[in-house]
Amino acid sequence: MIGTGLPVRLQTILFTLTLFVALPCVSAEVEGVRLWRAPDHTRLVFDLDGPAEHKLFTLQNPDRVVIDVSGATLGASIADLPLTDTPISGVRYATKDKRDLRVVLDLKQPVNPRSFALRRHETLPDRLVIDLHDRDKVEEKTIEQVQDSGQRDIVIAIDAGHGGEDPGALGPGGLREKDVVLAISRYLHEAIDRKSGFSAKLVRSGDYYIPLRDRVKKGRQLRADLFVSIHADAFTRKDARGAGVYAVSSRGATSETARFLAQRENESDLIGGAGSLSLSDKDDTLAGVLLDLAMTATMNTSLDVGSSVLNAIGSFTHLHKKKVEQANFSVLRNPDVPSILVETGFITNPDEARRLRDPSFQKRMAEKLSEGIVSHFTSRPPAGSWLASNGSRTDRKHTIARGDTLSGIAARYNISVADLKRANRMDTSMIRVGQTLTIPSG
C-alpha cells in the first residue's frame, strides 16, 4: 500500500486513483464515414464505437474546416466519399500529438460549419455530425410574390418522412421507409401539380435529413394550405396492416397504435440529429400554447382533409382504421397550417412491404392521395385562390369508400341528394365501393 501510518481505507482509495491516472485514455475508433448533400447544407457523419470529445474550427487562405477528435483513430475509408456538388474539394486526416485524430476538409468556398455529438440510440452507434451550411444562397421566389401576380394556387407541402442519417422503419430485405416515402412523395408531387389551381412543394427532395421542427417551419414559410407528411411505419406485431391518416391531438392519442407511431416518429431527431434543435420542455410548452391559441378551424380542417384522403385511399387498399386518428406527432404541430400524417402501410408486414416496394403501388397510392386532397379543396376552395373563382368550371369527383352513403356525400359537399343523383343519372340511392361520382357545383 501507499505509505504507512495512513488508514487502510484511505490507502486503498489513493492506490486506486494512482492506477486510474496511470491508465492510458480510452480511444474511440471511427468505424464509418458517410456524407449527404441537402439543398442548403452538407452533412458529414462519423460513426464511433464509443463517445469522444471533439473540437471544430475554420482556417482561411485556403478555406478549410478542421475537426480534432480526442483519442480517436480512423478505421474507415474516406477515399470514396461523394464530394460532387458539395463545398468540399477533399478530405485529409492525420494523427495530432500522437493521440488525437485530425480531419481536414478542404473547401471550394466558405461555409458556416456546425457540429454536435449523438449518443448511441437503439441500433445506431455514437456519432459525430458535421453540418456545413451554404453561404449566399440565391433566394427563391416567395409564395407571397407569386400570389401578387394573380389568383393564387392552393399550395400543398409534401413531407417525405425521415431521410439521410435516419432510415425510418425497416422492412424485409432491407426495405427502408425513407426510400419508399420519398418515391410516393415524388409521385404525389407530380399528381397534384397536374391539377389546375394547385401547386405542390416537396419539403424533402432527396436523401438527407431535416429536423422535425424545420419541416413544420418549411410548411409555414411556403404558406401552405395543407402539410402532408408521408410515412410507412412499423409496429411491434408483424400482422399489423393497413393505411391510416392522422391529425394532431392536443389531448393524447386515440389508440395504442397511434401512441406508438407518434413516439417512434418523434424520436427521429434523436436518430437523424437535430442538435440544439431537439425539442425541450420549454418548446413543448410553447407548442401547446400555440395550438391552444390557434383557431380551432385549423384542426377541424385537418380532420376534414384527413377524412377525404382516407375515403380515397380506402377505395383501393386496406385501412388500419376507418376514421382519422389523432396523436401528438411533432411534425403536425403547426398552429396555422392544416396538417395530416399518412401511413401508407406497415413496412413490417411482409405482404404490405412487397406492395410498398412496388412502383406501381407507390404511384397508385399517390394518385389516391391526390384525389382526396383535391376533392377536399374543390369543395371548400380557400378565398383568393384560382379554384375559388374557377371551381364551378372544374369537375369534382368523389370515389365511394366503405361507410359512404349518398346523403352523407351530399351533406359533405353542401348539395342536395336530388342534385347529386341528377348529375350522375341515378335512379336509386344504391352506391358501391370504388364507384366514382361527379359532384355538381353547390
Side-chain angles (χ1 to χ4, degrees), residues 404-418:
D404 273 352
T405 63
L406 207 61
S407 59
I409 296 170
R412 173 179 166 185
Y413 292 100
N414 197 28
I415 57 176
S416 68
V417 173

Side-chain angles (χ1 to χ4, degrees), residues 181-343:
V181 299
L182 180 59
I184 294 175
S185 295
R186 285 170 171 167
Y187 284 129
L188 179 57
H189 179 272
E190 295 173 3
I192 289 178
D193 255 5
R194 288 196 299 266
K195 304 295 184 181
S196 298
F198 287 85
S199 177
K201 305 291 182 181
L202 287 172
V203 174
R204 176 170 76 86
S205 58
D207 186 16
Y208 50 87
Y209 184 76
I210 303 176
L212 297 177
R213 198 172 330 165
D214 285 0
R215 297 171 192 252
V216 175
K217 183 179 178 181
K218 182 71 171 179
R220 301 193 74 204
Q221 289 174 338
L222 290 171
R223 301 186 67 176
D225 295 276
L226 176 67
F227 180 94
V228 185
S229 192
I230 308 296
H231 289 264
D233 221 316
F235 197 50
T236 52
R237 301 194 319 269
K238 289 186 178 181
D239 61 341
R241 68 189 185 104
V245 179
Y246 297 81
V248 75
S249 171
S250 59
R251 296 183 179 180
T254 54
S255 75
E256 179 184 357
T257 303
R259 284 193 295 271
F260 177 84
L261 296 180
Q263 180 181 355
R264 284 191 60 88
E265 298 308 334
N266 294 343
E267 285 181 347
S268 282
D269 278 350
L270 296 176
I271 299 171
S276 61
L277 293 179
S278 294
L279 292 175
S280 65
D281 292 339
K282 180 179 179 180
D283 293 325
D284 279 343
T285 302
L286 177 58
V289 171
L290 288 173
L291 283 171
D292 289 339
L293 293 177
M295 292 189 302
T296 57
T298 299
M299 188 176 293
N300 290 338
T301 299
S302 300
L303 292 170
D304 287 344
V305 177
S307 295
S308 182
V309 168
L310 198 66
N311 285 337
I313 63 178
S315 66
F316 97 106
T317 192
H318 178 78
L319 295 178
H320 185 67
K321 295 285 186 179
K322 295 182 180 180
K323 64 176 183 178
V324 178
E325 295 204 84
Q326 292 179 265
N328 200 21
F329 288 103
S330 294
V331 79
L332 299 182
R333 295 177 190 171
N334 209 322
D336 52 1
V337 177
S339 305
I340 60 173
L341 185 145
V342 179
E343 294 290 352

Side-chain angles (χ1 to χ4, degrees), residues 87-238:
I88 305 172
S89 60
V91 182
R92 299 178 282 124
Y93 74 96
T95 301
K96 174 178 172 285
D97 298 333
K98 297 183 180 181
R99 63 183 183 86
D100 296 337
L101 174 65
R102 169 165 287 185
V103 179
V104 179
L105 309 180
D106 296 312
L107 302 177
K108 304 170 189 175
Q109 67 263 349
V111 296
N112 294 323
R114 174 173 164 265
S115 66
F116 54 90
L118 289 172
R119 299 302 300 269
R120 185 177 297 274
H121 182 77
E122 295 185 350
T123 60
L124 295 171
D126 288 273
R127 286 151 291 159
L128 171 58
V129 181
I130 311 298
D131 282 340
L132 307 178
H133 293 272
D134 300 341
R135 293 185 184 178
D136 304 324
K137 282 188 67 66
V138 178
E139 291 188 4
E140 297 180 358
K141 205 171 191 180
T142 66
I143 297 297
E144 191 170 8
Q145 290 171 325
V146 173
Q147 291 173 350
D148 289 343
S149 62
Q151 295 172 338
R152 72 175 185 86
D153 286 341
I154 295 171
V155 178
I156 309 298
I158 305 169
D159 170 47
H162 308 281
E165 175 71 2
D166 176 18
L170 300 178
L175 185 63
R176 301 181 300 187
E177 180 184 1
K178 69 173 183 177
D179 300 326
V180 170
V181 299
L182 180 59
I184 294 175
S185 295
R186 285 170 171 167
Y187 284 129
L188 179 57
H189 179 272
E190 295 173 3
I192 289 178
D193 255 5
R194 288 196 299 266
K195 304 295 184 181
S196 298
F198 287 85
S199 177
K201 305 291 182 181
L202 287 172
V203 174
R204 176 170 76 86
S205 58
D207 186 16
Y208 50 87
Y209 184 76
I210 303 176
L212 297 177
R213 198 172 330 165
D214 285 0
R215 297 171 192 252
V216 175
K217 183 179 178 181
K218 182 71 171 179
R220 301 193 74 204
Q221 289 174 338
L222 290 171
R223 301 186 67 176
D225 295 276
L226 176 67
F227 180 94
V228 185
S229 192
I230 308 296
H231 289 264
D233 221 316
F235 197 50
T236 52
R237 301 194 319 269
K238 289 186 178 181

